[in-house]
Amino acid sequence: MYISRLQLLNYKSFRESGVLEFQPGINIIVGANNSGKTALLEALSLSFETSPHRSIETLPQPNSTPIRESVAKVTLIFTKAEIHSLFDNLSPNCYVGLSSAGNSYLPASEVLALFQKWMDNPSDVELTVSKSTANSVNRDGISIKDLDPAIKLTDYRPEKFTIGSSRNRNKNILRKDASGRFSLDQGTNETDSSYTEEDFFVTLFHTFRERVSQLQAQRFVGDYSVGNDEELNSRASNLAEVIHLLESPSKKKLYESFNQHVSTMFPQFEWVSTKILSKQTRQPPDLKILLWPTKTLESGREDLAFSLSDCGTGTGQVLAILYAVLASPEHRPIIIDEPQSYLHPGAAKKLIQILKEFPQHQYFIATHSAEIISAANPSTIVKLRYEDGKTQASMMNAKDIKEQRSLLAELGVSLSDVFGADSILWVEGPTEELCFPLVLEKLEPKLLTGTKIVSIKNTGDLLGKKAHFVDVMFDLYQRLSGGNNLYPPAVGFVFDRENRTKQDLADLQKRSSEAVHFLERCMYENYLLHPDAIAAVLNREDGGQEQPLTSESVREWLETNKVKLKEKKDFLSKDTTQQDLSNPQYVDANINAAKLLDVLFSELSEARVEFRKTTHSVMLTEWLLENNPEQFAELVQFLRGILDAGKAAVS
């Protein structure tokens, strides 16, 4: 059984969520802080208190009366086997009354057979249920229709739970009385109010709700009472109790499996056990959870074991999750809130892998961790964002997710590179990805608010000579940016000019459907041709020199070699004129500075230091920001124009 659909109305930040569709497997809920993730998890638990939505829309005046009812419309899927199991679990003495049979009672098994006949004719059968809001079913009605091989509970809002033909208004009502018997009253008018007890299918809903495991984020400390409840509650306050029961000989294999998975998550521990405290004086006695370090269990040295209360926050959370997953004989929804808040990325990935070993359960995981999303390979993703005083929800299914992951792979970018930003500025390569944030954080920190700078790993594909391939690559970015997906919109693309002709640049800007910009200099390294900075970095990197390199010697080298190299192939654009070559400012801005620095580092260090862009460009940037930040004034103005215009366009 699993939750198939949910629509949340008038609850906390949700005015109206729209219909959210879920699948078996792992369902991910993403969104920024305070976007409504926890509220949606509460609704998925099918047990929450009314908390009306508050905004200008619902409270237009200060003294307005809010709509009091919070509603969750839900669709549940039960297999036929699960319905049979529910009947099988009824008391042997439970009989169902049939008024059409002279008020005699039939065994529950015979009523199940009758119910089976109804399921075999779904066109003539409609089963619906409703319950009051607040702390019960959150009245919105649930209708049951046959979906071979499952029974589907869908949204409905009837006055009674009824079984019968949809072609007439006379209903056959199945209800459970105070003694636990079910009775079927055929031909009862649907407005009849003489029956007040829950019917069988309301009981079915409660059975489902009781199996939902909502594991709340908290630290598990203190002692626990001994008891006989094998069901872990949502706060896991009975964690020691259920683990203590798991230690019984009849559950040996399950207990061993539990400990094996604990060791997978926490290799420093090999076993989990419980200890009864002060049994003679306490009524009831208390329990303590103990975690045994690796290679200490055989010694029996309890003094070497750790109490759970002395362990990290995530340890108790993981024990609770593992128990809920392993110890449940029935399929159930399991709700996990922000696992990355108490687990480091490596442990979080291990947890996701363990959950995948138990695909019979349905998982709902709220997270803002790109690593968890990638590891989960989720069936669906719900993306939440808080706008205009309310939460907006959008859906992605597994097909969309796989397609977008494939698109990212083609571009050489991972989900963690782009996830969690409001917007993205795509740049030429790793050097710009490292250095642009350094420059902006130092000189214009507000420009970076909400924006992530991400490098394009396959730039050669994007800026290739074949026009059709360029179009394809830009189309990939357009499909990744904006719309119903995980990725924020692009505010622009910034590329090096390199040795492209003016016509090449114009053609690329014309073919692209996004805002493509080219640096006002040949490449980023042209902003770094500063003799003092180069001398400082080379002196730091070159340990074999007899005397420190002076900035004057670097300046002389640059002046001499720019003249030598400016007419060399690949150091300047093909459409450079003789008039351009006579202009020192043009040469400084348009010469291939990366190649120039490569030659400079090699010659001035006598080949002891090789110029590496992602290392030495960063070092030059840091030195200039500390000693001569005005060197980047032109670059900052260039980036400011792109970011301001891009953010305005996507807002």
Side-chain angles (χ1 to χ4, degrees), residues 537-585:
V537 170
L538 266 174
N539 285 329
R540 190 190 313 174
E541 291 287 279
D542 187 3
Q545 58 187 349
E546 295 180 0
Q547 293 183 346
L549 186 68
T550 65
S551 58
E552 185 59 33
S553 61
V554 174
R555 185 177 292 106
E556 291 177 0
W557 189 97
L558 285 171
E559 294 302 321
T560 301
N561 285 274
K562 277 190 287 187
V563 174
K564 292 180 181 179
L565 298 171
K566 66 183 181 181
E567 295 185 13
K568 200 170 182 180
K569 185 180 179 182
D570 293 335
F571 271 79
L572 284 166
S573 170
K574 295 177 182 178
D575 58 1
T576 301
T577 66
Q578 286 299 318
Q579 183 178 358
D580 293 332
L581 291 174
S582 64
N583 183 347
Q585 292 181 339

Side-chain angles (χ1 to χ4, degrees), residues 99 125 190 231 244 256 278 332 340 393 474 533 548 589 640 648:
S99 58
V125 177
E190 64 176 310
E231 183 73 22
H244 180 65
E256 290 176 349
S278 305
R332 65 172 61 213
Q340 77 284 343
F474 274 119
R640 183 191 298 115

